[in-house]
Amino acid sequence: MYSAEINRNQRACLLLLIDQSYSMSEPWAGTGKSKADQLALSVNNILGNAVLLCSKGDDRIFDYFEVGVIGYGSDVSPVLHGSDHGNPLLPIGEVARNPKRTDQLMQKIPDGVGGFFETTTVNPVWVDPLYNGQTPMVAAFRTAAEITDSWCLRNPRSFPPIVINITDGVSSDGDPTEVAQQIRETGTEDGNVLLFNLHLSGMPNPSVVLPNDTAGLPDVYAKTLFNISSELPPTMLEATAVAGYEVKAGARGFVYNAEAHMVVEFLDIGTRAVTPTGLKELTDGRES
């Protein structure tokens, strides 16, 4: 299980659910940015890394997987340019060719002799920071269930989809447990859909990273997110351990009170899991 070969004829699927409720306008501890700003930056960086992972060092992008980003706040809708409710997933090559825009930024680069020089870099932007409305997580999960169910029917022999939900708040439209179970019970011949959850930083409580039980989780909501998260399959357990995480058997894809770097590392693990090189080459998520 969770060992299907990933190639252009047998793609994989990565689906991100991002909280865009009003509370995302609040500061994200230690970043100097709002949660919405930092999350958008993290997702854009990861999509850029995903494009590189699917390239051969030139302009060719090989469509090893399809990606979707669903935002939920005032409504629940696809975020990527070119995607819509009828076409929520896009091949990674199409994502690479169609950012919303490109931003030019000045960066200082080491000159190799102890100094720096400034250069202009072009950074594609796929996701903008948004915050409005409540937190309709159940509706977002229902959308994810429809997307993954349809994808699995079309790709029965592929590596199963990975769904990563990133939120800072409590679901405003009910308990997500039942629909989360529906997502996790869908799958391909290679295994069930993997549903992971990240709770963003903002509280003084310490982070809890990839736990295998609810010890250390401070409230019912955190425990609910843990309970609806999938266990890491053996290949991911091994890779996350190599990347520096202390994980035990039964560890789940859940982070409570995530710091900014944890979001990037966790998204990096999910992205690498759906590329041909897979998790075997994952050495340290911090290097992404």
Side-chain angles (χ1 to χ4, degrees):
M1 303 295 283
Y2 302 101
S3 60
E5 181 180 350
I6 297 168
N7 54 52
R8 283 176 287 172
N9 296 320
Q10 192 167 285
R11 298 176 182 177
C13 172
L14 177 67
L15 180 62
L16 306 181
L17 309 179
I18 58 174
D19 187 344
Q20 295 181 328
S21 62
Y22 185 75
S23 61
M24 293 292 288
S25 63
E26 297 171 355
W28 192 341
T31 67
K33 300 178 183 290
S34 72
K35 296 173 186 175
D37 285 328
Q38 187 62 44
L39 178 57
L41 178 62
S42 298
V43 172
N44 286 322
N45 286 341
I46 286 299
L47 290 176
N49 286 349
V51 169
L52 292 176
L53 285 169
C54 294
S55 71
K56 296 296 183 181
D58 53 29
D59 292 333
R60 294 175 299 163
I61 308 296
F62 294 94
D63 290 327
Y64 294 125
F65 70 102
E66 298 173 73
V67 62
V69 181
I70 305 296
Y72 60 99
S74 59
D75 61 5
V76 178
S77 59
V79 170
L80 295 178
H81 181 64
S83 65
D84 54 39
H85 288 285
N87 188 36
L89 297 172
L90 300 176
I92 188 64
E94 186 173 340
V95 173
R97 293 186 292 271
N98 294 289
K100 287 186 174 180
R101 66 179 185 278
T102 54
D103 289 346
Q104 291 189 343
L105 301 175
M106 293 297 296
Q107 288 188 335
K108 290 185 177 181
I109 307 296
D111 61 9
V113 291
F116 295 86
F117 65 92
E118 287 191 341
T119 184
T120 301
T121 61
V122 177
N123 295 307
V125 175
W126 292 278
V127 176
D128 284 316
L130 293 175
Y131 42 86
N132 192 20
Q134 296 185 317
T135 312
M137 191 181 303
V138 173
F141 278 14
R142 287 198 185 106
T143 298
E146 293 172 0
I147 293 170
T148 54
D149 183 61
S150 176
W151 191 90
C152 289
L153 288 173
R154 297 194 311 272
N155 302 273
R157 290 183 293 276
S158 292
F159 189 96
I162 296 175
V163 180
I164 302 178
N165 175 47
I166 310 168
T167 180
D168 79 328
V170 178
S171 173
S172 62
D173 58 349
D175 187 342
T177 300
E178 183 176 347
V179 67
Q181 182 177 351
Q182 180 184 343
I183 292 172
R184 297 196 320 272
E185 289 179 349
T186 301
T188 67
E189 296 172 8
D190 194 46
N192 288 352
V193 175
L194 295 171
L195 173 60
F196 301 148
N197 290 277
L198 280 81
H199 184 280
L200 303 186
S201 179
M203 299 294 289
N205 300 323
S207 299
V208 179
V209 182
L210 306 177
N212 64 346
D213 58 38
T214 58
L217 299 179
D219 53 46
V220 171
Y221 175 63
K223 292 176 182 177
T224 295
L225 285 180
F226 168 83
N227 288 329
I228 67 175
S229 299
S230 301
E231 287 191 16
L232 297 176
T235 51
M236 279 194 173
L237 271 177
E238 181 181 354
T240 52
V242 170
Y245 291 100
E246 294 183 6
V247 289
K248 299 179 181 178
R252 300 201 182 195
F254 171 64
V255 178
Y256 171 75
N257 216 15
E259 299 175 10
H261 73 88
M262 293 177 184
V263 176
V264 175
E265 292 166 10
F266 203 76
L267 289 174
D268 186 44
I269 289 171
T271 302
R272 290 183 183 228
V274 296
T275 58
T277 54
L279 292 158
K280 294 180 180 178
E281 294 187 7
L282 182 64
T283 56
D284 189 342
R286 297 167 184 78
E287 296 176 358
S288 300

